[in-house]
Short mmCIF file of all heavy atoms in Angstrom, two decimals:
data_model
loop_
_atom_site.label_atom_id
_atom_site.label_comp_id
_atom_site.label_asym_id
_atom_site.label_seq_id
_atom_site.Cartn_x
_atom_site.Cartn_y
_atom_site.Cartn_z
N TYR M 215 2.85 5.05 -60.32
CA TYR M 215 4.17 4.20 -60.03
C TYR M 215 3.77 3.04 -59.05
O TYR M 215 4.69 2.47 -58.44
CB TYR M 215 5.17 5.21 -59.36
CG TYR M 215 5.66 6.16 -60.36
CD1 TYR M 215 5.17 7.53 -60.29
CD2 TYR M 215 6.59 5.94 -61.37
CE1 TYR M 215 5.56 8.46 -61.19
CE2 TYR M 215 7.02 6.84 -62.24
CZ TYR M 215 6.55 8.08 -62.19
OH TYR M 215 6.87 9.07 -63.00
N GLY M 216 2.53 2.79 -59.07
CA GLY M 216 2.18 1.70 -58.14
C GLY M 216 2.02 2.18 -56.67
O GLY M 216 2.45 3.35 -56.37
N GLY M 217 1.56 1.41 -55.91
CA GLY M 217 1.49 1.81 -54.39
C GLY M 217 0.22 2.35 -53.92
O GLY M 217 0.15 2.48 -52.75
N ASN M 218 -0.61 2.76 -54.86
CA ASN M 218 -1.87 3.31 -54.36
C ASN M 218 -2.95 2.22 -54.27
O ASN M 218 -3.92 2.26 -54.98
CB ASN M 218 -2.39 4.47 -55.08
CG ASN M 218 -2.86 4.28 -56.44
OD1 ASN M 218 -2.44 3.34 -57.10
ND2 ASN M 218 -3.81 4.92 -56.87
N SER M 219 -2.62 1.14 -53.57
CA SER M 219 -3.48 0.00 -53.59
C SER M 219 -4.72 0.36 -52.74
O SER M 219 -4.83 1.38 -52.08
CB SER M 219 -2.75 -1.16 -52.94
OG SER M 219 -2.01 -0.70 -51.75
N ILE M 220 -5.74 -0.52 -52.78
CA ILE M 220 -6.84 -0.40 -51.93
C ILE M 220 -6.48 -0.92 -50.52
O ILE M 220 -6.04 -2.11 -50.49
CB ILE M 220 -8.04 -1.16 -52.53
CG1 ILE M 220 -8.48 -0.40 -53.78
CG2 ILE M 220 -9.12 -1.16 -51.50
CD1 ILE M 220 -9.63 -1.07 -54.52
N ALA M 221 -6.74 -0.27 -49.44
CA ALA M 221 -6.48 -0.71 -48.21
C ALA M 221 -7.80 -1.01 -47.45
O ALA M 221 -8.77 -0.29 -47.83
CB ALA M 221 -5.76 0.31 -47.33
N GLY M 222 -7.79 -1.92 -46.69
CA GLY M 222 -9.14 -2.27 -45.97
C GLY M 222 -8.89 -2.70 -44.56
O GLY M 222 -7.82 -3.16 -44.09
N GLU M 223 -9.90 -2.51 -43.78
CA GLU M 223 -9.75 -2.92 -42.39
C GLU M 223 -11.06 -3.78 -42.11
O GLU M 223 -12.12 -3.54 -42.63
CB GLU M 223 -9.77 -1.72 -41.41
CG GLU M 223 -10.90 -0.74 -41.49
CD GLU M 223 -10.78 0.44 -40.59
OE1 GLU M 223 -9.56 0.89 -40.38
OE2 GLU M 223 -11.72 1.05 -40.09
N VAL M 224 -10.87 -4.68 -41.23
CA VAL M 224 -11.92 -5.76 -40.92
C VAL M 224 -12.16 -5.80 -39.46
O VAL M 224 -11.21 -5.75 -38.63
CB VAL M 224 -11.42 -7.10 -41.39
CG1 VAL M 224 -12.44 -8.24 -41.02
CG2 VAL M 224 -10.99 -7.15 -42.87
N ARG M 225 -13.41 -5.85 -39.17
CA ARG M 225 -13.83 -6.13 -37.74
C ARG M 225 -14.51 -7.53 -37.69
O ARG M 225 -15.31 -7.84 -38.56
CB ARG M 225 -14.88 -5.05 -37.28
CG ARG M 225 -14.35 -3.75 -36.90
CD ARG M 225 -14.22 -3.62 -35.49
NE ARG M 225 -13.68 -2.35 -35.06
CZ ARG M 225 -12.51 -2.24 -34.33
NH1 ARG M 225 -11.94 -3.39 -33.83
NH2 ARG M 225 -12.02 -1.02 -34.07
N ILE M 226 -14.03 -8.35 -36.81
CA ILE M 226 -14.48 -9.76 -36.78
C ILE M 226 -15.52 -9.90 -35.61
O ILE M 226 -15.66 -8.92 -34.85
CB ILE M 226 -13.31 -10.79 -36.55
CG1 ILE M 226 -12.66 -10.45 -35.12
CG2 ILE M 226 -12.26 -10.57 -37.65
CD1 ILE M 226 -11.64 -11.47 -34.73
N ASP M 227 -16.21 -10.93 -35.73
CA ASP M 227 -17.18 -11.30 -34.65
C ASP M 227 -16.32 -11.88 -33.48
O ASP M 227 -16.09 -13.05 -33.45
CB ASP M 227 -18.16 -12.25 -35.09
CG ASP M 227 -19.30 -12.58 -34.05
OD1 ASP M 227 -19.11 -12.21 -32.93
OD2 ASP M 227 -20.17 -13.24 -34.29
N ARG M 228 -15.94 -11.04 -32.54
CA ARG M 228 -14.97 -11.41 -31.50
C ARG M 228 -15.51 -12.41 -30.51
O ARG M 228 -14.94 -13.38 -30.11
CB ARG M 228 -14.47 -10.15 -30.68
CG ARG M 228 -13.66 -9.26 -31.49
CD ARG M 228 -13.37 -8.01 -30.63
NE ARG M 228 -12.50 -7.06 -31.41
CZ ARG M 228 -12.20 -5.81 -30.94
NH1 ARG M 228 -12.65 -5.44 -29.79
NH2 ARG M 228 -11.36 -5.03 -31.68
N ASP M 229 -16.86 -12.22 -30.24
CA ASP M 229 -17.44 -13.15 -29.25
C ASP M 229 -17.49 -14.59 -29.97
O ASP M 229 -17.29 -15.62 -29.22
CB ASP M 229 -18.85 -12.79 -28.91
CG ASP M 229 -18.78 -11.54 -28.03
OD1 ASP M 229 -17.71 -11.25 -27.43
OD2 ASP M 229 -19.91 -10.94 -27.88
N ARG M 230 -17.61 -14.67 -31.23
CA ARG M 230 -17.65 -16.01 -31.85
C ARG M 230 -16.21 -16.60 -32.00
O ARG M 230 -16.09 -17.85 -31.96
CB ARG M 230 -18.33 -15.78 -33.18
CG ARG M 230 -18.55 -17.10 -34.04
CD ARG M 230 -19.28 -16.80 -35.19
NE ARG M 230 -19.13 -17.69 -36.29
CZ ARG M 230 -19.63 -17.68 -37.39
NH1 ARG M 230 -20.44 -16.79 -37.71
NH2 ARG M 230 -19.31 -18.56 -38.38
N LEU M 231 -15.33 -15.80 -32.34
CA LEU M 231 -14.01 -16.31 -32.74
C LEU M 231 -12.93 -16.29 -31.61
O LEU M 231 -12.03 -16.99 -31.65
CB LEU M 231 -13.45 -15.57 -33.91
CG LEU M 231 -14.21 -15.65 -35.12
CD1 LEU M 231 -13.73 -14.68 -36.30
CD2 LEU M 231 -14.23 -17.05 -35.80
N LEU M 232 -13.20 -15.45 -30.67
CA LEU M 232 -12.18 -15.35 -29.66
C LEU M 232 -12.68 -15.89 -28.28
O LEU M 232 -13.76 -15.47 -27.80
CB LEU M 232 -11.71 -13.89 -29.51
CG LEU M 232 -11.20 -13.15 -30.62
CD1 LEU M 232 -10.82 -11.70 -30.50
CD2 LEU M 232 -9.99 -13.89 -31.23
N ASP M 233 -11.85 -16.59 -27.61
CA ASP M 233 -12.13 -16.98 -26.26
C ASP M 233 -10.78 -16.74 -25.46
O ASP M 233 -9.83 -17.57 -25.61
CB ASP M 233 -12.56 -18.37 -26.16
CG ASP M 233 -12.91 -18.84 -24.75
OD1 ASP M 233 -12.80 -18.06 -23.75
OD2 ASP M 233 -13.27 -19.97 -24.62
N PRO M 234 -10.81 -15.71 -24.62
CA PRO M 234 -9.60 -15.51 -23.90
C PRO M 234 -9.11 -16.55 -22.90
O PRO M 234 -7.97 -16.60 -22.41
CB PRO M 234 -9.94 -14.20 -23.08
CG PRO M 234 -11.45 -14.20 -23.04
CD PRO M 234 -11.89 -14.82 -24.15
N TYR M 235 -10.16 -17.46 -22.68
CA TYR M 235 -9.72 -18.66 -21.70
C TYR M 235 -9.32 -19.87 -22.62
O TYR M 235 -9.06 -20.78 -22.02
CB TYR M 235 -10.97 -19.00 -20.84
CG TYR M 235 -11.34 -17.80 -19.91
CD1 TYR M 235 -12.41 -17.02 -20.20
CD2 TYR M 235 -10.47 -17.49 -18.86
CE1 TYR M 235 -12.75 -15.97 -19.48
CE2 TYR M 235 -10.77 -16.48 -18.04
CZ TYR M 235 -11.98 -15.69 -18.32
OH TYR M 235 -12.25 -14.52 -17.53
N ASP M 236 -9.35 -19.84 -23.85
CA ASP M 236 -8.96 -20.94 -24.75
C ASP M 236 -8.25 -20.20 -25.95
O ASP M 236 -8.74 -19.98 -26.97
CB ASP M 236 -10.12 -21.67 -25.26
CG ASP M 236 -9.74 -22.91 -25.86
OD1 ASP M 236 -8.48 -23.17 -26.25
OD2 ASP M 236 -10.57 -23.83 -26.18
N LEU M 237 -6.92 -19.87 -25.66
CA LEU M 237 -6.24 -19.07 -26.69
C LEU M 237 -5.92 -20.00 -27.77
O LEU M 237 -5.82 -19.41 -29.00
CB LEU M 237 -4.93 -18.63 -25.91
CG LEU M 237 -5.23 -17.50 -24.77
CD1 LEU M 237 -3.80 -17.05 -24.25
CD2 LEU M 237 -5.97 -16.33 -25.33
N ALA M 238 -5.68 -21.33 -27.52
CA ALA M 238 -5.31 -22.16 -28.66
C ALA M 238 -6.46 -22.16 -29.71
O ALA M 238 -6.23 -22.03 -30.95
CB ALA M 238 -4.99 -23.56 -28.17
N ALA M 239 -7.63 -22.27 -29.22
CA ALA M 239 -8.80 -22.29 -30.16
C ALA M 239 -9.01 -20.95 -30.84
O ALA M 239 -9.22 -20.84 -32.09
CB ALA M 239 -10.09 -22.51 -29.39
N SER M 240 -8.67 -19.86 -30.15
CA SER M 240 -8.81 -18.55 -30.74
C SER M 240 -7.76 -18.36 -31.86
O SER M 240 -8.10 -17.80 -32.95
CB SER M 240 -8.57 -17.51 -29.62
OG SER M 240 -9.43 -17.60 -28.55
N GLN M 241 -6.52 -18.84 -31.57
CA GLN M 241 -5.49 -18.76 -32.66
C GLN M 241 -5.84 -19.56 -33.76
O GLN M 241 -5.58 -19.10 -34.98
CB GLN M 241 -4.15 -19.20 -32.04
CG GLN M 241 -3.53 -18.10 -31.10
CD GLN M 241 -2.17 -18.54 -30.59
OE1 GLN M 241 -2.13 -19.60 -29.91
NE2 GLN M 241 -1.23 -17.69 -30.84
N ARG M 242 -6.50 -20.65 -33.66
CA ARG M 242 -6.88 -21.48 -34.65
C ARG M 242 -7.91 -20.80 -35.56
O ARG M 242 -7.84 -20.80 -36.71
CB ARG M 242 -7.38 -22.83 -34.16
CG ARG M 242 -7.70 -23.90 -35.24
CD ARG M 242 -7.89 -25.31 -34.46
NE ARG M 242 -8.48 -26.13 -35.45
CZ ARG M 242 -9.88 -26.16 -35.75
NH1 ARG M 242 -10.67 -25.53 -35.06
NH2 ARG M 242 -10.32 -26.96 -36.58
#
Side-chain angles (χ1 to χ4, degrees):
Chain M
Y215 294 102
N218 70 330
S219 48
I220 291 176
E223 61 185 29
V224 177
R225 282 262 177 233
I226 65 173
D227 185 349
R228 290 175 181 174
D229 287 344
R230 180 174 154 181
L231 295 173
L232 302 180
D233 181 357
Y235 299 103
D236 189 350
L237 296 179
S240 303
Q241 283 180 304
R242 185 170 167 277

